[in-house]
Each structure stands twice: as C-alpha cells, then as structure tokens.
Amino acid sequence: MTLAETLLPLAVLVPLGVGALLLGFAHWLTPRVADVASVTVAGFVAVLCAWLAREATGGAIVHWFGGWSPAVSGRPDVVLGIAFSADVASAAIAAFCGLLFAAAFMFAWSYFDEVNSHFHVLMLLFLAAMVGFCLTRDLFDLFVWFELMSIAAYALTAYPLGPSALDGAFNFTIVNSVASFMMLAGVGLLYARSGSLDYLLIGRTVGHAGADPVVLGGFCLIAVALLTKGACVPFHFWLADAHSVAPSPVSVIFSGVMVSVALFGLSKLVVLVFGGNPDILDLVRGALIWIGAATAVIGALTAWTQRHLKRLLAFSTIAHLGIMLTGVATAGGIGQAGLLLYLVGHGLVKGSLFMVAGMLLALRGSADEIDLYGKAKRLWPVGVTMALAGLLLGGLPVGLLHGGSHLLDRAVERSPLVHAAQVLATALTGAAVLRAALRIFAGISGAPGPERNGITEREHEKNVRPVWLMLTPAALLVLLVLMPSSVGERLARLGAGALVGRPAVAAVEPAGMLAQLLPVTLTLVILAGALLRRRPVRRAGRALVTAERLPFGGLGVLHSGLVGDYVAWAVLGLAGLSVASAWL
Amino acid sequence: MNVLPWIVAAWLFGIGLYGIVTSRNYVHLIGCLSVCQSATYVLLLGIGFVWGSKPPVFYDHPPGTPAVDPILHALVLTDIVVGAAVTALLLAIALQVQKRRGTIDPRRLRPMRDPE
Amino acid sequence: MSERGRLAMLLAALLLLAPVAWQVALALPAFGFPTSAYGQTINALVPHMRRVSNMVAAVNFDVRGFDTIGEELMLLAATTGATVLLRGSRGENIGDRAARLPGRHLAGRADGTVLVCRAAAILLMLFGVYVVLHGTVTPGGGFQGGVIVASSLLLVYLGEGYPAWRRIARAPVLALVEGLGAFAFVVAAAVPLAWGRPALSNILPLGTWKDLFSGGTMVVVNAAVGFAVAGSFGLILGEFMEETRGPEDEDMPDEEHR
C-alpha cells in the first residue's frame, strides 16, 4: 500500500479518536486542552486532505477497509467491503472542511468553557462525518456519515438552550430525520435492484436499467434527502430556524460547509451512480435546474426582508445553494467545476459573515440591524470586513466566488431565465448584506422597508474574547477568497474531471466586461434604492408600500415555524419530483 | 402477497407523516417519527427475506444451509441505533421545552416568533 | 398555514405518491426471492474465512466494520447532546431531593424489592456480559449486550434508591467507559495501518470454529462496542432520571444566564 493509501483513513479516524478521548476524560481535563486539541486536529485534517488531493492528481487514491477488496469475493459483480476513494475534488472539499473548522475553533476559543469540552467533542465528530461523507464510495457508508453529521448538528443547534434554540433544533431534527429515512429507503431500493452498495457497481446496474421504477424511486428518495440537507425549495424551511439560533461558531460551519457539502454529495452521486441512466439525467437536467432557480429567487427575496442578521445570512445561504444546485443540475462538465469553486468561495465568505454576526452579538448585544443602527461605529475594522464580504457576495469581479459564479453562468447559458435568476439572487443578497453593514457600522440608511416587519429576537452571546481574536479568523477567510480566480478555476476544472476519472474539463473563455460587472452593478443599484428610500407621505407612495407588503409578507407567513408545515411541504416536494420523474 | 411488505412499509410511512403533520404534542410527534422509521425497517427486512431459509447464524445449522441476507440485518441494526440516538436527543429537547415554556404544543412553539 | 390547509396539502401529496409507490412495489423483486448476490456470497465465504458463525456480527464488525465505527460514534454524539441539553443550567450536581407532586405519597422501599433487585441486577449484568462475549458465535453482540447491561443499571436504581444509585453508577466513570470503548474501536481500526495493512484488518489469530474467542479482531471490537453502548445508555438513563429530582432551593432562575 502506498503512503497515501495508508494515511487516507486517518483523515476520519483521528478526529473520531480524539473526540472519543476528550469525551472519556472530559471530567478531568481543563478547557484549554480541548481548544488546543480541536484546532490541531482540524488543522491536521486540512493539511492531510490537501496533501491527498495533490497525490490524487494521477488517479484517485482508494482504500479498502479490512482488506475486503473486490478480488476477495471471487466474483466480478460482488464487492464485499467498503472503500474510501479520494479523488482531487473530494479530497479538496474535505480539506476545505478542515480549514473552516479550524477557523471556527479559533473563533470559539474559550467560548464554551462551562461544558467540559462537550462542544469540542460534538464538533470533532461533525468534522469526521463531513470528511467521511466526502471520501466514501459506499452508499450505506454515505448514509452513516450523513446521520452522524446530522446528529452532531442537532445537538449543537439546541446548545444555547434558549427557547428559540430548542424550537429551532426540534424543527431541524424532525425535518432532517424524515429526510434521512427517505434516504435509507432509497438505499434499500437501489440495493434491491443492484445487489451492491458500492457506487461503481450500482452505477453499472443503473446504467442498464432504463426507466425502471425502482431505480427512479431510489433516485428521487435520495435526491430529496440531500436536497433537504442542502436546503432547497420546498425543503428549505428548517434552515432559517436552525441557523439563526445556533451559536455563531456553529452557524459558521452550517452555512459554510454543511449544507453545501450535501449538494456536493448529490452531484457526486448524480455523476458516479446515476450518470449512466438517460432517464435520470433528463430528470436532473429538467427538474433540478428549475428547483435551483426557484430556490435562488425565493431565498434572495426572503433575505431582503430580514432584519435579524443571522436570519438574513441564513436566507442568503439558501439563495446561494439554489445557484449551486443549478451547477449540480448540469450533471458534470463545467457546471461541476463551477460548483466546486463556488462552494469554497461561498463557504469562506459566509463563514466570515457569521463570525461578524457573532462579534456583534458578543460586543453589542444584538444582531438586529435596525436596533443596532449606528451603534458599532467604533468597530470599523469589523465593518470593513463585512462590507467587503457583502461586495463579494454581490458579485465583485475578483476572487474565488466570482470565478465559481462565472463558471456556473457558462454552464446555464442555454437557459437565460436561470441565468437571470442567478444574477438577481446574487445582487439581492449582496445588497442586503451591504445595507445591514452600512446601517450598523456607518449609521447610513434609508427608511426601513419590508425588513421592518421581519421577525427578530433579543439575544446576546458571552463576551469573553478580545476583538482581535474574533476578527482574525473572519478577516483571514475573506482574504482567502480574494485569491486570484484563475488558480481556483484551474483546480476546479481538474477536480471536476477527476471525479469521473477523466482529464480536466475544458477551459472557458473569460466573460466580457459587461457580464463581469452586471451583478455588482445591480447590487449597488438595489442598495442605492434602499438607501434613498423615504417614508411615503403621499397616497401613491403609501399604496406602493402596502402593495409591497403583500408578497414579502406572504413569504414570511409561509415560513411559519411550525414543523407540521415543513414536513407537509417536504412530502409535497417528494411527490412533485416523483411525478416529474414519471413525466420527463 | 408478493407486494404486501412494500405496501405495509409505504402505509406505515404515510401514517407516520400524517401523525407528524397533525400533531399537537411533541412527545406524540416523536412517536410518529418512530413509526416512520419502522417503515424503513419493514422495507429493508422485506428486501432480504428468502422463503424457506434460516437465520444467518450458523450455530445450529451448518454453513451452506440457505439463509437470509445478513447485510440487511446489519443495516437495520445500524438503523435502530440511529433511531435510539435521535429519539434520546428529541426527548431531551422536549423535556427542556416543557421546563422553560410550560407547553409542548408545536402550534404554540415557533422559533423567534413569540414576544420574549 | 391553517391546520386544514396543511392536512389538505399532505393528503394531496400522498395521493400523488400512491400510484408511484404502487409502481415501485410492483417493480421490486418478488418478496422472498431477492436477486442480490452480496448477502449470499457473505454466507458462503465468511464462515470459513473468519471462523465465525454469526454472519450479522461478521458483517457488522469485520466486513462492514467501518460503518459500525460511524454508528458507534453517532451514539456517543447523541449521548453527549442529551447530556449537554439536560444538564444545561443545572450543572453536574446530583439532586438528592425527589421532586414532590402535591397529594402524592412517597412510599418507602420494601425489603423484598431490595433483595430481588440486587440479585436480579447482578444476574442481568452477567447475562448482558454473556450476550456480548458470545457475539461472534450466537445471536447477540456488543450492541444488544450493552443495552442489557445498561438495563441492569436500572434494576440497581430500583433496589438502592436514587442517591445511592448515582453514587454507584457515577457519570464520570460511565463517560470514561463510553469514551474508552469508542477509542478502542478507533485504535483497532488504526493499528493495522502501522503495519501497512488496510485499516480495520483482522490481524489477531482467528481461533477455532464455534469457539468463544473466534474471529480475531472481531472479539476486541465487539467488547469495545459493548462497553461504549453500556456507558452511553447508562449516562442517558442517569441524566433523564436526574430530571425527577426537585430543586435544592425553591426558586429556579427563569432566564438562562450564559
């Protein structure tokens, strides 16, 4: 076995082992030990996976657990064991998880002292599960890591024990548990048809299956489960409730990697397992792309109407997940490359923004942009970070996020409606963040618009860390996004090709100046509209405001907070996808 | 008879979902989630069953006797552990909600929507 | 949304799903005649390759042992989560005073109960250990036996009363048992890597057919899982039972001071 093959399982085993040790000795350890151990382990995982990604440029690194390689069974159609397969893309995403966890641990330093390192245990298990999710080549193993990720997330969300945190965690748990049962049912159906749980063997059977209802049913169930975790319409309702009440270091991870890795997992399955079946590909290209566009627009519009900063950021995450889903829906090629780059860029920016929200909660005791009007002028470095992040979200033509966005634009260029949805979503979310930043840090604002009726809550977080300790990881993340996009683009195209064992996807020509500047111009126009808004005095103005309240208010009513509603929407979404599969 | 287990699994899932959507009590909701989970057990175990065969434990009968599929038994065992874990967590949340809000009616417990 | 609207939406969705489910049910292999070769290959090969007779345990701890690591740590995560949630502002103190409901009579414990529970708890714990140890040979294993051992802890509670029980089954000790069990499993997976073998390889001698210590590494992993599950469930039981304690002083703070 080569060195890379030997070290591959350590990316998962080390966080698991350290987490188990921290739990066993929790009663006797000081909190500093847990802080140091977690940052070290996260850094180790990031470095190891980055090295594995480099080693994998010649071909994926495969590790068969227990030595149960395909040769042991003596039959070509039976694979007995579980494999980890680290290709460039999967290892790079796993390394990104490690990086973001290290930043979150730094941000959470000394925040969770009272609970005997239980927070660190849960986060380390969460990290191990995400790395396992990215690297595995076995469908049931995918389910196991998916579940571990979910359980750690449920516990971390309920952590603050405030009333909203408990309700948010409850909704999160119920909706995602229903989704995971659907995933298990899908795995069972695929096993029944193909007799195997390995991606490549199932892929072979699925390729020959044609329009088999079992295979289609299995795909729909697994897709709905991953779309629920990836917060796409109509399965997205849980995300705003969960992200806005979880502690800030945890929200960094949720929005930064957890939800996007679910979509990465979906894209991997679409390409490796279901890629050989033309009926499923039709469904993916026909249905998922419209789900993505709808998610982008709905998420962005709802984000615009929020005043609680964490809720705003949660909805903007939903919008960006919609954009990423359009990349998944192109099933390989340039869309896949765009997805990879966008995932990293968005994760860095969103992580940094949640850290800013956490800083405001700790230092100013609120996350409501209207309550905080002008109150943070002394914290101008934080404001600069937030404004820069907002501009990047809104499409500033530099950096990794823009590179990913450009690739995704190219991927959907045959559907101008979808492209328009992408641009609109980018602009609205960027403008929302900038509006909040200007209000809070500069005291510049127009009259409050639809966000005045947004839901909000009084809360605060403990203030035990110096500002520089909290600001450093946030600033570092934003600086990382500003890396030149050409480097990122080359790696993303290499990764997208490596996922299917082919050479790098062909390059695309750079966008014209107009196309590059369109999103950020639109962002600034929307922002200007918000800043120039005045309270309506005349009747026409008042009628306009009342008319505006309807759609935005309607969106607010839909996000009711009732778990029964969320589950009903999810089942309706499953029904819709199944009917579409029968029809397309 | 050939399709009865699959129908039972689908029915259990539907009933569980109905319970979750119309529930007025957190503990009842958690029970309905368990019903949804039982649907997956029935589906998985039904997939592996072989008529006229014995359990895949070759203590009383020698290896080579027809036995059911052990893979699905292992999957269901994992599923049971998952279910126990999620139920424990949900019940802990329900307990804390009862202590802090005095109610476990989902209709009255909506995150961030009640005046503090 | 109103309750009627929600229910109507659900029923519409289920009505749309019904024909799809019917199609899938018809297309699945007939019940009792599966087409999968995976399980039957395991039944044919593994008894001789690993000298164990319990195929389910072989799949769980050897062939697909890596899944079981994830599952084991899932239990750990849930226990940690439940612990954090239930301890909350209460902290780690053990309440000695039972919560009193007005009008409810707290009966004492009969001598017969104490005697029976002491005997039964020990017998049950032995039975649980028996089920764990024979996991590779007869139906049973770490998960099942671990839960039985944890149940025996409940019998100790019935016999000794809550304060004495918490001092016998201490939370830090249970957490240590749980953590070390999971850690042993991870070590069993990582040690073969040092010899250049794949992770979780079976490197111990395999023993003889139908013997107690057959299966090599499976024995170690089985025991580790047994410890971890017993510790986890014991901790969960302790934390939930702590909720039946009354407050030390009558006023409880109603706002979370974090």
Side-chain angles (χ1 to χ4, degrees), chain B residues 34-109:
Chain B
S34 302
V35 172
C36 284
Q37 187 164 36
S38 315
T40 57
Y41 298 158
V42 170
L43 177 68
L44 286 176
L45 290 173
I47 288 174
F49 182 71
V50 182
W51 277 121
S53 59
K54 297 208 156 65
V57 180
F58 298 113
Y59 194 79
D60 295 324
H61 44 273
T65 8
V68 297
D69 193 334
I71 295 289
L72 287 159
H73 288 234
L75 300 196
V76 170
L77 190 54
T78 307
D79 198 14
I80 293 178
V81 173
V82 168
V86 172
T87 308
L89 211 48
L90 281 171
L91 287 173
I93 294 179
L95 253 175
Q96 282 288 18
V97 167
Q98 167 66 30
K99 274 203 312 207
R100 279 151 206 273
R101 305 281 220 101
T103 174
I104 43 177
D105 186 341
R107 297 169 303 177
R108 305 235 287 272
L109 294 163

Side-chain angles (χ1 to χ4, degrees), chain A residues 17 67 94 105 121 124 155 170 208 240 242 245 264 272 306 316 326 376 441 529 537 550 563:
Chain A
F105 279 129
V121 171
L124 282 175
F170 194 84
H208 297 308
V245 299
F264 170 67
L272 287 177
Q306 300 303 314
S316 102
T326 60
F441 293 98
V537 184
L550 259 115
V563 67

